[in-house]
Amino acid sequence: MATKKVTYTYSEAMKRLESIVSKIEGNELDIDELGDNLKEAQKLIKFCKDKLYKTDQEIQKMLGNAEE
């Protein structure tokens, strides 16, 4: 069975990540859910970091072009 790729906006990813962290801190997850949620959190963190990096690069490029 193929895995379905879920796409988020940055805001949606952050909200989902905050939800996962809240559940972990509140001990609301059993061991099976914990493992799955940690894997999802890792993917969300990577997505957010990549999005921030790409956005920063775009801003730097625009600022560089504006100075020329």
mmCIF file of all heavy atoms in Angstrom, residues 7-47:
data_model
loop_
_atom_site.group_PDB
_atom_site.id
_atom_site.type_symbol
_atom_site.label_atom_id
_atom_site.label_comp_id
_atom_site.label_asym_id
_atom_site.label_seq_id
_atom_site.Cartn_x
_atom_site.Cartn_y
_atom_site.Cartn_z
ATOM 1 N N THR A 7 0.352 17.341 2.702
ATOM 2 C CA THR A 7 1.000 18.636 2.571
ATOM 3 C C THR A 7 0.331 19.630 3.514
ATOM 4 O O THR A 7 -0.881 19.628 3.685
ATOM 5 C CB THR A 7 0.926 19.158 1.127
ATOM 6 O OG1 THR A 7 -0.438 19.210 0.719
ATOM 7 C CG2 THR A 7 1.688 18.250 0.180
ATOM 8 N N TYR A 8 1.150 20.431 4.123
ATOM 9 C CA TYR A 8 0.691 21.431 5.073
ATOM 10 C C TYR A 8 1.181 22.804 4.635
ATOM 11 O O TYR A 8 2.182 22.914 3.948
ATOM 12 C CB TYR A 8 1.301 21.187 6.460
ATOM 13 C CG TYR A 8 0.808 19.986 7.210
ATOM 14 C CD1 TYR A 8 1.566 18.822 7.282
ATOM 15 C CD2 TYR A 8 -0.391 20.018 7.900
ATOM 16 C CE1 TYR A 8 1.131 17.729 8.014
ATOM 17 C CE2 TYR A 8 -0.834 18.929 8.626
ATOM 18 C CZ TYR A 8 -0.065 17.784 8.677
ATOM 19 O OH TYR A 8 -0.497 16.717 9.403
ATOM 20 N N THR A 9 0.504 23.831 5.107
ATOM 21 C CA THR A 9 1.097 25.153 5.072
ATOM 22 C C THR A 9 1.986 25.221 6.309
ATOM 23 O O THR A 9 1.885 24.372 7.213
ATOM 24 C CB THR A 9 0.040 26.275 5.137
ATOM 25 O OG1 THR A 9 -0.628 26.209 6.411
ATOM 26 C CG2 THR A 9 -0.978 26.162 4.010
ATOM 27 N N TYR A 10 2.838 26.229 6.378
ATOM 28 C CA TYR A 10 3.696 26.376 7.548
ATOM 29 C C TYR A 10 2.846 26.497 8.818
ATOM 30 O O TYR A 10 3.120 25.836 9.819
ATOM 31 C CB TYR A 10 4.613 27.603 7.383
ATOM 32 C CG TYR A 10 5.522 27.810 8.553
ATOM 33 C CD1 TYR A 10 6.707 27.098 8.651
ATOM 34 C CD2 TYR A 10 5.198 28.702 9.566
ATOM 35 C CE1 TYR A 10 7.558 27.265 9.736
ATOM 36 C CE2 TYR A 10 6.044 28.875 10.653
ATOM 37 C CZ TYR A 10 7.214 28.163 10.733
ATOM 38 O OH TYR A 10 8.040 28.322 11.803
ATOM 39 N N SER A 11 1.792 27.307 8.762
ATOM 40 C CA SER A 11 0.931 27.516 9.941
ATOM 41 C C SER A 11 0.251 26.228 10.363
ATOM 42 O O SER A 11 0.159 25.924 11.559
ATOM 43 C CB SER A 11 -0.120 28.582 9.648
ATOM 44 O OG SER A 11 0.482 29.828 9.448
ATOM 45 N N GLU A 12 -0.224 25.457 9.401
ATOM 46 C CA GLU A 12 -0.881 24.186 9.724
ATOM 47 C C GLU A 12 0.109 23.211 10.351
ATOM 48 O O GLU A 12 -0.230 22.507 11.313
ATOM 49 C CB GLU A 12 -1.479 23.565 8.463
ATOM 50 C CG GLU A 12 -2.661 24.310 7.903
ATOM 51 C CD GLU A 12 -3.065 23.848 6.521
ATOM 52 O OE1 GLU A 12 -2.238 23.261 5.789
ATOM 53 O OE2 GLU A 12 -4.227 24.098 6.159
ATOM 54 N N ALA A 13 1.318 23.175 9.808
ATOM 55 C CA ALA A 13 2.345 22.281 10.347
ATOM 56 C C ALA A 13 2.690 22.658 11.784
ATOM 57 O O ALA A 13 2.833 21.790 12.644
ATOM 58 C CB ALA A 13 3.590 22.323 9.463
ATOM 59 N N MET A 14 2.814 23.962 12.041
ATOM 60 C CA MET A 14 3.130 24.407 13.397
ATOM 61 C C MET A 14 1.993 24.068 14.368
ATOM 62 O O MET A 14 2.254 23.627 15.492
ATOM 63 C CB MET A 14 3.411 25.907 13.419
ATOM 64 C CG MET A 14 4.762 26.272 12.835
ATOM 65 S SD MET A 14 6.157 25.519 13.702
ATOM 66 C CE MET A 14 6.004 26.274 15.323
ATOM 67 N N LYS A 15 0.760 24.249 13.941
ATOM 68 C CA LYS A 15 -0.374 23.913 14.812
ATOM 69 C C LYS A 15 -0.393 22.422 15.123
ATOM 70 O O LYS A 15 -0.639 22.014 16.260
ATOM 71 C CB LYS A 15 -1.692 24.334 14.158
ATOM 72 C CG LYS A 15 -1.926 25.814 14.202
ATOM 73 C CD LYS A 15 -3.233 26.192 13.534
ATOM 74 C CE LYS A 15 -3.371 27.706 13.465
ATOM 75 N NZ LYS A 15 -4.552 28.126 12.720
ATOM 76 N N ARG A 16 -0.128 21.596 14.102
ATOM 77 C CA ARG A 16 -0.106 20.148 14.315
ATOM 78 C C ARG A 16 1.034 19.778 15.251
ATOM 79 O O ARG A 16 0.870 18.960 16.157
ATOM 80 C CB ARG A 16 0.022 19.429 12.968
ATOM 81 C CG ARG A 16 0.108 17.936 13.067
ATOM 82 C CD ARG A 16 -1.164 17.315 13.613
ATOM 83 N NE ARG A 16 -0.982 15.885 13.776
ATOM 84 C CZ ARG A 16 -1.387 15.194 14.808
ATOM 85 N NH1 ARG A 16 -2.095 15.778 15.763
ATOM 86 N NH2 ARG A 16 -1.153 13.915 14.891
ATOM 87 N N LEU A 17 2.184 20.388 15.052
ATOM 88 C CA LEU A 17 3.334 20.117 15.916
ATOM 89 C C LEU A 17 3.040 20.527 17.357
ATOM 90 O O LEU A 17 3.340 19.786 18.301
ATOM 91 C CB LEU A 17 4.565 20.860 15.387
ATOM 92 C CG LEU A 17 5.902 20.561 16.021
ATOM 93 C CD1 LEU A 17 6.209 19.071 15.994
ATOM 94 C CD2 LEU A 17 6.989 21.340 15.323
ATOM 95 N N GLU A 18 2.416 21.683 17.541
ATOM 96 C CA GLU A 18 2.042 22.126 18.887
ATOM 97 C C GLU A 18 1.064 21.157 19.532
ATOM 98 O O GLU A 18 1.144 20.875 20.734
ATOM 99 C CB GLU A 18 1.440 23.523 18.833
ATOM 100 C CG GLU A 18 2.470 24.605 18.528
ATOM 101 C CD GLU A 18 1.860 25.960 18.228
ATOM 102 O OE1 GLU A 18 0.613 26.080 18.173
ATOM 103 O OE2 GLU A 18 2.637 26.910 18.020
ATOM 104 N N SER A 19 0.152 20.615 18.739
ATOM 105 C CA SER A 19 -0.816 19.644 19.246
ATOM 106 C C SER A 19 -0.109 18.373 19.717
ATOM 107 O O SER A 19 -0.421 17.834 20.788
ATOM 108 C CB SER A 19 -1.834 19.309 18.149
ATOM 109 O OG SER A 19 -2.668 18.256 18.537
ATOM 110 N N ILE A 20 0.838 17.905 18.931
ATOM 111 C CA ILE A 20 1.590 16.703 19.301
ATOM 112 C C ILE A 20 2.378 16.940 20.585
ATOM 113 O O ILE A 20 2.350 16.118 21.506
ATOM 114 C CB ILE A 20 2.526 16.266 18.149
ATOM 115 C CG1 ILE A 20 1.699 15.770 16.956
ATOM 116 C CG2 ILE A 20 3.496 15.188 18.608
ATOM 117 C CD1 ILE A 20 2.497 15.546 15.682
ATOM 118 N N VAL A 21 3.067 18.071 20.662
ATOM 119 C CA VAL A 21 3.861 18.390 21.858
ATOM 120 C C VAL A 21 2.959 18.462 23.089
ATOM 121 O O VAL A 21 3.290 17.943 24.153
ATOM 122 C CB VAL A 21 4.651 19.699 21.659
ATOM 123 C CG1 VAL A 21 5.269 20.174 22.965
ATOM 124 C CG2 VAL A 21 5.718 19.519 20.595
ATOM 125 N N SER A 22 1.811 19.085 22.935
ATOM 126 C CA SER A 22 0.873 19.195 24.050
ATOM 127 C C SER A 22 0.426 17.820 24.543
ATOM 128 O O SER A 22 0.364 17.577 25.753
ATOM 129 C CB SER A 22 -0.337 20.021 23.614
ATOM 130 O OG SER A 22 -1.299 20.071 24.636
ATOM 131 N N LYS A 23 0.139 16.922 23.615
ATOM 132 C CA LYS A 23 -0.281 15.562 23.994
ATOM 133 C C LYS A 23 0.850 14.811 24.680
ATOM 134 O O LYS A 23 0.612 14.068 25.645
ATOM 135 C CB LYS A 23 -0.746 14.796 22.759
ATOM 136 C CG LYS A 23 -2.078 15.258 22.237
ATOM 137 C CD LYS A 23 -2.475 14.488 20.992
ATOM 138 C CE LYS A 23 -3.779 15.010 20.443
ATOM 139 N NZ LYS A 23 -4.174 14.328 19.201
ATOM 140 N N ILE A 24 2.072 15.005 24.179
ATOM 141 C CA ILE A 24 3.222 14.334 24.793
ATOM 142 C C ILE A 24 3.442 14.864 26.205
ATOM 143 O O ILE A 24 3.602 14.091 27.154
ATOM 144 C CB ILE A 24 4.490 14.508 23.930
ATOM 145 C CG1 ILE A 24 4.346 13.728 22.618
ATOM 146 C CG2 ILE A 24 5.733 14.056 24.696
ATOM 147 C CD1 ILE A 24 5.423 14.017 21.595
ATOM 148 N N GLU A 25 3.423 16.178 26.363
ATOM 149 C CA GLU A 25 3.629 16.778 27.682
ATOM 150 C C GLU A 25 2.524 16.407 28.660
ATOM 151 O O GLU A 25 2.765 16.292 29.860
ATOM 152 C CB GLU A 25 3.729 18.294 27.558
ATOM 153 C CG GLU A 25 4.984 18.766 26.884
ATOM 154 C CD GLU A 25 5.068 20.275 26.707
ATOM 155 O OE1 GLU A 25 4.024 20.960 26.756
ATOM 156 O OE2 GLU A 25 6.185 20.757 26.506
ATOM 157 N N GLY A 26 1.312 16.210 28.146
ATOM 158 C CA GLY A 26 0.190 15.856 29.006
ATOM 159 C C GLY A 26 0.019 14.364 29.214
ATOM 160 O O GLY A 26 -0.975 13.925 29.791
ATOM 161 N N ASN A 27 1.004 13.577 28.738
ATOM 162 C CA ASN A 27 0.929 12.111 28.862
ATOM 163 C C ASN A 27 -0.397 11.557 28.340
ATOM 164 O O ASN A 27 -0.978 10.658 28.936
ATOM 165 C CB ASN A 27 1.161 11.672 30.310
ATOM 166 C CG ASN A 27 2.555 11.952 30.777
ATOM 167 O OD1 ASN A 27 3.519 11.748 30.044
ATOM 168 N ND2 ASN A 27 2.681 12.450 31.995
ATOM 169 N N GLU A 28 -0.852 12.096 27.215
ATOM 170 C CA GLU A 28 -2.128 11.684 26.646
ATOM 171 C C GLU A 28 -2.003 10.563 25.609
ATOM 172 O O GLU A 28 -3.008 10.130 25.049
ATOM 173 C CB GLU A 28 -2.804 12.891 25.985
ATOM 174 C CG GLU A 28 -3.120 14.019 26.937
ATOM 175 C CD GLU A 28 -3.665 15.243 26.225
ATOM 176 O OE1 GLU A 28 -4.305 15.103 25.176
ATOM 177 O OE2 GLU A 28 -3.443 16.358 26.737
ATOM 178 N N LEU A 29 -0.789 10.105 25.353
ATOM 179 C CA LEU A 29 -0.578 9.113 24.308
ATOM 180 C C LEU A 29 -0.104 7.796 24.899
ATOM 181 O O LEU A 29 0.722 7.780 25.802
ATOM 182 C CB LEU A 29 0.479 9.619 23.312
ATOM 183 C CG LEU A 29 0.186 10.945 22.628
ATOM 184 C CD1 LEU A 29 1.411 11.406 21.840
ATOM 185 C CD2 LEU A 29 -1.014 10.822 21.707
ATOM 186 N N ASP A 30 -0.632 6.687 24.336
ATOM 187 C CA ASP A 30 -0.082 5.402 24.744
ATOM 188 C C ASP A 30 1.202 5.171 23.944
ATOM 189 O O ASP A 30 1.560 5.962 23.071
ATOM 190 C CB ASP A 30 -1.091 4.263 24.567
ATOM 191 C CG ASP A 30 -1.453 3.977 23.118
ATOM 192 O OD1 ASP A 30 -0.616 4.200 22.215
ATOM 193 O OD2 ASP A 30 -2.573 3.494 22.876
ATOM 194 N N ILE A 31 1.912 4.115 24.230
ATOM 195 C CA ILE A 31 3.230 3.891 23.647
ATOM 196 C C ILE A 31 3.190 3.795 22.122
ATOM 197 O O ILE A 31 4.083 4.278 21.437
ATOM 198 C CB ILE A 31 3.917 2.659 24.277
ATOM 199 C CG1 ILE A 31 5.401 2.605 23.930
ATOM 200 C CG2 ILE A 31 3.220 1.379 23.868
ATOM 201 C CD1 ILE A 31 6.211 3.657 24.598
ATOM 202 N N ASP A 32 2.136 3.186 21.571
ATOM 203 C CA ASP A 32 2.026 3.075 20.113
ATOM 204 C C ASP A 32 1.799 4.436 19.474
ATOM 205 O O ASP A 32 2.419 4.767 18.462
ATOM 206 C CB ASP A 32 0.893 2.118 19.726
ATOM 207 C CG ASP A 32 1.159 0.697 20.193
ATOM 208 O OD1 ASP A 32 2.319 0.239 20.080
ATOM 209 O OD2 ASP A 32 0.215 0.051 20.677
ATOM 210 N N GLU A 33 0.923 5.212 20.053
ATOM 211 C CA GLU A 33 0.646 6.550 19.539
ATOM 212 C C GLU A 33 1.867 7.451 19.695
ATOM 213 O O GLU A 33 2.138 8.287 18.831
ATOM 214 C CB GLU A 33 -0.533 7.183 20.284
ATOM 215 C CG GLU A 33 -1.864 6.526 20.012
ATOM 216 C CD GLU A 33 -2.972 7.103 20.885
ATOM 217 O OE1 GLU A 33 -2.728 7.322 22.089
ATOM 218 O OE2 GLU A 33 -4.057 7.329 20.350
ATOM 219 N N LEU A 34 2.590 7.270 20.778
ATOM 220 C CA LEU A 34 3.766 8.086 21.038
ATOM 221 C C LEU A 34 4.790 7.923 19.922
ATOM 222 O O LEU A 34 5.297 8.905 19.386
ATOM 223 C CB LEU A 34 4.387 7.729 22.389
ATOM 224 C CG LEU A 34 5.638 8.501 22.780
ATOM 225 C CD1 LEU A 34 5.347 9.995 22.885
ATOM 226 C CD2 LEU A 34 6.196 7.967 24.096
ATOM 227 N N GLY A 35 5.071 6.695 19.551
ATOM 228 C CA GLY A 35 6.035 6.435 18.487
ATOM 229 C C GLY A 35 5.599 7.055 17.165
ATOM 230 O O GLY A 35 6.386 7.711 16.485
ATOM 231 N N ASP A 36 4.340 6.869 16.812
ATOM 232 C CA ASP A 36 3.813 7.419 15.564
ATOM 233 C C ASP A 36 3.840 8.947 15.581
ATOM 234 O O ASP A 36 4.193 9.583 14.593
ATOM 235 C CB ASP A 36 2.380 6.940 15.311
ATOM 236 C CG ASP A 36 2.308 5.450 14.991
ATOM 237 O OD1 ASP A 36 3.342 4.867 14.608
ATOM 238 O OD2 ASP A 36 1.210 4.878 15.120
ATOM 239 N N ASN A 37 3.480 9.525 16.710
ATOM 240 C CA ASN A 37 3.454 10.982 16.832
ATOM 241 C C ASN A 37 4.865 11.563 16.798
ATOM 242 O O ASN A 37 5.074 12.644 16.243
ATOM 243 C CB ASN A 37 2.714 11.414 18.095
ATOM 244 C CG ASN A 37 1.218 11.454 17.896
ATOM 245 O OD1 ASN A 37 0.638 12.514 17.711
ATOM 246 N ND2 ASN A 37 0.567 10.285 17.912
ATOM 247 N N LEU A 38 5.822 10.873 17.379
ATOM 248 C CA LEU A 38 7.199 11.351 17.334
ATOM 249 C C LEU A 38 7.735 11.348 15.900
ATOM 250 O O LEU A 38 8.421 12.280 15.490
ATOM 251 C CB LEU A 38 8.098 10.520 18.243
ATOM 252 C CG LEU A 38 7.932 10.776 19.731
ATOM 253 C CD1 LEU A 38 8.760 9.785 20.550
ATOM 254 C CD2 LEU A 38 8.319 12.196 20.081
ATOM 255 N N LYS A 39 7.393 10.312 15.135
ATOM 256 C CA LYS A 39 7.809 10.256 13.729
ATOM 257 C C LYS A 39 7.176 11.398 12.945
ATOM 258 O O LYS A 39 7.840 12.043 12.126
ATOM 259 C CB LYS A 39 7.419 8.916 13.115
ATOM 260 C CG LYS A 39 8.258 7.765 13.597
ATOM 261 C CD LYS A 39 7.767 6.455 13.010
ATOM 262 C CE LYS A 39 8.477 5.274 13.638
ATOM 263 N NZ LYS A 39 7.928 3.999 13.187
ATOM 264 N N GLU A 40 5.894 11.634 13.189
ATOM 265 C CA GLU A 40 5.214 12.739 12.506
ATOM 266 C C GLU A 40 5.833 14.078 12.903
ATOM 267 O O GLU A 40 6.041 14.954 12.062
ATOM 268 C CB GLU A 40 3.716 12.738 12.823
ATOM 269 C CG GLU A 40 2.966 13.822 12.090
ATOM 270 C CD GLU A 40 1.481 13.860 12.389
ATOM 271 O OE1 GLU A 40 0.978 13.033 13.172
ATOM 272 O OE2 GLU A 40 0.808 14.748 11.829
ATOM 273 N N ALA A 41 6.144 14.229 14.186
ATOM 274 C CA ALA A 41 6.756 15.476 14.660
ATOM 275 C C ALA A 41 8.102 15.718 13.989
ATOM 276 O O ALA A 41 8.403 16.851 13.603
ATOM 277 C CB ALA A 41 6.917 15.438 16.180
ATOM 278 N N GLN A 42 8.888 14.676 13.806
ATOM 279 C CA GLN A 42 10.176 14.815 13.123
ATOM 280 C C GLN A 42 9.976 15.332 11.702
ATOM 281 O O GLN A 42 10.694 16.211 11.245
ATOM 282 C CB GLN A 42 10.912 13.479 13.068
ATOM 283 C CG GLN A 42 11.558 13.076 14.359
ATOM 284 C CD GLN A 42 12.299 11.768 14.215
ATOM 285 O OE1 GLN A 42 11.754 10.783 13.706
ATOM 286 N NE2 GLN A 42 13.536 11.745 14.668
ATOM 287 N N LYS A 43 9.002 14.786 10.994
ATOM 288 C CA LYS A 43 8.723 15.213 9.625
ATOM 289 C C LYS A 43 8.239 16.662 9.593
ATOM 290 O O LYS A 43 8.620 17.436 8.714
ATOM 291 C CB LYS A 43 7.690 14.292 8.981
ATOM 292 C CG LYS A 43 8.219 12.911 8.711
ATOM 293 C CD LYS A 43 7.142 11.999 8.158
ATOM 294 C CE LYS A 43 7.667 10.582 8.008
ATOM 295 N NZ LYS A 43 6.646 9.649 7.545
ATOM 296 N N LEU A 44 7.399 17.019 10.563
ATOM 297 C CA LEU A 44 6.893 18.392 10.627
ATOM 298 C C LEU A 44 8.023 19.382 10.923
ATOM 299 O O LEU A 44 8.070 20.469 10.339
ATOM 300 C CB LEU A 44 5.793 18.499 11.688
ATOM 301 C CG LEU A 44 4.477 17.808 11.338
ATOM 302 C CD1 LEU A 44 3.603 17.705 12.586
ATOM 303 C CD2 LEU A 44 3.760 18.535 10.225
ATOM 304 N N ILE A 45 8.921 19.019 11.816
ATOM 305 C CA ILE A 45 10.053 19.890 12.143
ATOM 306 C C ILE A 45 10.927 20.091 10.918
ATOM 307 O O ILE A 45 11.322 21.213 10.604
ATOM 308 C CB ILE A 45 10.868 19.314 13.323
ATOM 309 C CG1 ILE A 45 10.052 19.411 14.616
ATOM 310 C CG2 ILE A 45 12.211 20.026 13.476
ATOM 311 C CD1 ILE A 45 10.615 18.616 15.773
ATOM 312 N N LYS A 46 11.201 19.018 10.194
ATOM 313 C CA LYS A 46 12.009 19.135 8.974
ATOM 314 C C LYS A 46 11.295 20.018 7.951
ATOM 315 O O LYS A 46 11.914 20.890 7.333
ATOM 316 C CB LYS A 46 12.300 17.766 8.376
ATOM 317 C CG LYS A 46 13.163 17.846 7.124
ATOM 318 C CD LYS A 46 13.451 16.500 6.539
ATOM 319 C CE LYS A 46 14.317 16.527 5.310
ATOM 320 N NZ LYS A 46 14.358 17.687 4.499
ATOM 321 N N PHE A 47 9.997 19.821 7.779
ATOM 322 C CA PHE A 47 9.227 20.641 6.839
ATOM 323 C C PHE A 47 9.330 22.117 7.212
ATOM 324 O O PHE A 47 9.595 22.967 6.355
ATOM 325 C CB PHE A 47 7.761 20.191 6.830
ATOM 326 C CG PHE A 47 6.856 21.139 6.101
ATOM 327 C CD1 PHE A 47 6.763 21.116 4.721
ATOM 328 C CD2 PHE A 47 6.101 22.077 6.797
ATOM 329 C CE1 PHE A 47 5.936 21.999 4.043
ATOM 330 C CE2 PHE A 47 5.277 22.968 6.127
ATOM 331 C CZ PHE A 47 5.189 22.925 4.750
#
